[in-house]
């Protein structure tokens, strides 16, 4: 059977003229590197779960994206990280929220899934768990880039309302492997100027991250509050499994539902059949697709 890997680096207001050429080039290079990492796993006959984690790790360390280093800042000027993974084979899932010192949130989420009886760990307890698992710890300042500091200053000068306009930038990956199993991973710094303690959709299983071999694997980016209320990931899977909708039809319907709740954003999804779909209600979304045999697409805007 063939494999498919799809990734996103967040969606938002980017239009061809609005994005500096260098910014776009760096983001495209990051997406390419992430597709390379995930594809290498799948090409070797590896599992979808390993592929989505490998792709997510590359994007987390890349400051072009709002995950790991380069994450957006809270209203207090710190970084708080959320991440989740889910394996469609058995619907095992792991998630972390509010990490402040763990370099690789997606590895902490995976460790929660594989070595703890819990699904979701938060704040100091999650960092402590990650440390006990031997995962690298860094100072919170390591995550902070000058560009994100400037972004926070702009938002705070404008009144401090948490930002729903500047590009989102969360990262995510979904894959179906040669055996027909699906998996999903999402990692994020959340939204600029978010309140201390705010948790978005990304680490909430069924909202920003979901995987079920009976339906699909999905990862979201956008206004998390709306994706939580729409239970976006689970809604997509249920539209397929119980509603018998096709992947793209179901995905578009979920984005419309999120829109009806006042949210914008994007989704990527793959099904065990190898079918893949993406969609977004913002002007652009960083995204990429790779399949066995060398097929590859990287795009930022609606048409390229
Ligand atoms: N969905 C994320 C959140 O609300 C933000 C993003 O997609 O960049 O935390």
């Amino acid at each position: 059977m063939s494999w498919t890997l799809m990734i996103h680096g967040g969606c938002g207001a980017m239009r061809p003229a609005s994005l500096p050429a260098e910014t776009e080039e760096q983001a495209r290079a990051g997406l390419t590197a992430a597709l390379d990492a995930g594809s290498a796993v799948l090409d070797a006959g590896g599992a979808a779960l390993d592929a989505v984690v490998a792709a997510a790790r590359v994007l987390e360390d890349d400051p072009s994206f709002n995950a790991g280093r380069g994450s957006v800042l809270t209203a207090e000027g710190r970084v708080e990280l959320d991440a989740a993974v889910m394996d469609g084979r058995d619907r095992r899932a792991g998630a972390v929220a509010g990490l402040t010192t763990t370099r690789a949130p997606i590895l902490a989420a995976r460790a929660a899934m594989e070595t703890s009886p819990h699904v979701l760990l938060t704040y100091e307890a999650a960092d402590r768990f990650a440390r006990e698992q031997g995962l690298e710890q860094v100072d919170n300042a390591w995550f902070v880039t000058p560009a994100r500091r400037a972004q926070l200053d702009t938002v705070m000068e404008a009144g401090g309302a948490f930002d729903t306009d500047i590009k989102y930038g969360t990262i995510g990956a979904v894959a179906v492997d040669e055996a027909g199993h699906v998996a999903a991973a999402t990692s994020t710094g959340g939204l600029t100027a978010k309140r201390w303690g705010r948790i978005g959709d990304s680490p909430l299983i069924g909202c920003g991250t979901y995987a079920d071999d009976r339906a699909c694997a999905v990862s979201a980016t956008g206004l998390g509050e709306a994706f939580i209320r729409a239970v976006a990931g689970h809604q997509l899977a249920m539209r397929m499994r119980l509603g018998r909708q096709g992947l793209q039809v179901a995905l578009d319907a979920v984005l419309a539902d999120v829109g009806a709740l006042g949210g914008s954003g994007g989704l990527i999804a793959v099904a065990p059949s190898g079918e893949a779909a993406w969609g977004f209600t913002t002007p652009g979304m960083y995204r990429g697709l790779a399949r066995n045999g060398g097929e590859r697409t990287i795009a930022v805007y609606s048409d390229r």
Side-chain angles (χ1 to χ4, degrees), residues 14-205:
M14 52 277 198
R15 289 191 168 84
S18 71
L19 206 58
E22 200 192 340
T23 307
E24 181 178 335
E25 263 166 46
Q26 282 168 0
R28 285 183 186 265
L31 293 170
T32 301
L35 284 181
D36 287 346
S39 298
V41 172
L42 293 162
D43 252 340
L49 178 69
D50 293 320
V52 295
V53 169
R57 271 304 294 134
V58 171
L59 295 170
E60 279 184 340
D61 268 2
D62 188 327
S64 295
F65 305 101
N66 172 21
R69 196 165 118 73
S71 281
V72 301
L73 305 186
T74 66
E76 292 167 337
R78 297 195 334 146
V79 165
E80 289 179 15
L81 304 164
D82 302 340
V85 291
M86 188 159 182
D87 191 336
R89 280 178 292 203
D90 45 15
R91 283 181 287 156
R92 283 194 311 159
V96 285
L99 293 177
T100 58
T101 58
T102 301
R103 175 171 175 167
I106 204 69
L107 296 185
R110 184 173 186 165
M113 175 174 90
E114 291 180 334
T115 69
S116 92
H118 309 301
V119 170
L120 175 61
L121 298 171
T122 64
Y123 293 89
E124 293 87 348
D127 277 318
R128 181 170 162 186
F129 168 77
R131 193 164 59 243
E132 286 167 4
Q133 293 296 309
L135 294 177
E136 184 180 349
Q137 301 293 301
V138 294
D139 195 87
N140 195 256
W142 182 83
F143 296 110
V144 180
T145 61
R148 294 304 192 186
R149 179 71 64 188
Q151 195 179 49
L152 178 66
D153 291 346
T154 305
V155 172
M156 295 314 269
E157 275 161 25
F162 90 132
D163 170 33
T164 57
D165 196 27
I166 303 176
K167 77 176 183 62
Y168 294 115
T170 287
I171 68 94
V174 293
V176 50
D177 59 29
E178 276 182 1
H181 300 303
V182 298
T186 312
S187 184
T188 187
L191 294 178
T192 301
K194 68 183 180 182
R195 189 189 175 97
W196 170 69
R198 178 266 187 189
I199 294 171
D201 60 315
S202 309
L204 300 185
I205 298 305

Side-chain angles (χ1 to χ4, degrees), residues 225-247:
E225 280 66 12
F227 281 80
I228 293 170
R229 290 163 59 210
V231 199
H234 189 254
Q235 181 183 152
L236 174 48
M238 288 307 112
R239 282 178 176 277
M240 292 186 71
R241 191 162 80 82
L242 303 181
R244 301 272 163 220
Q245 291 182 343
L247 186 65

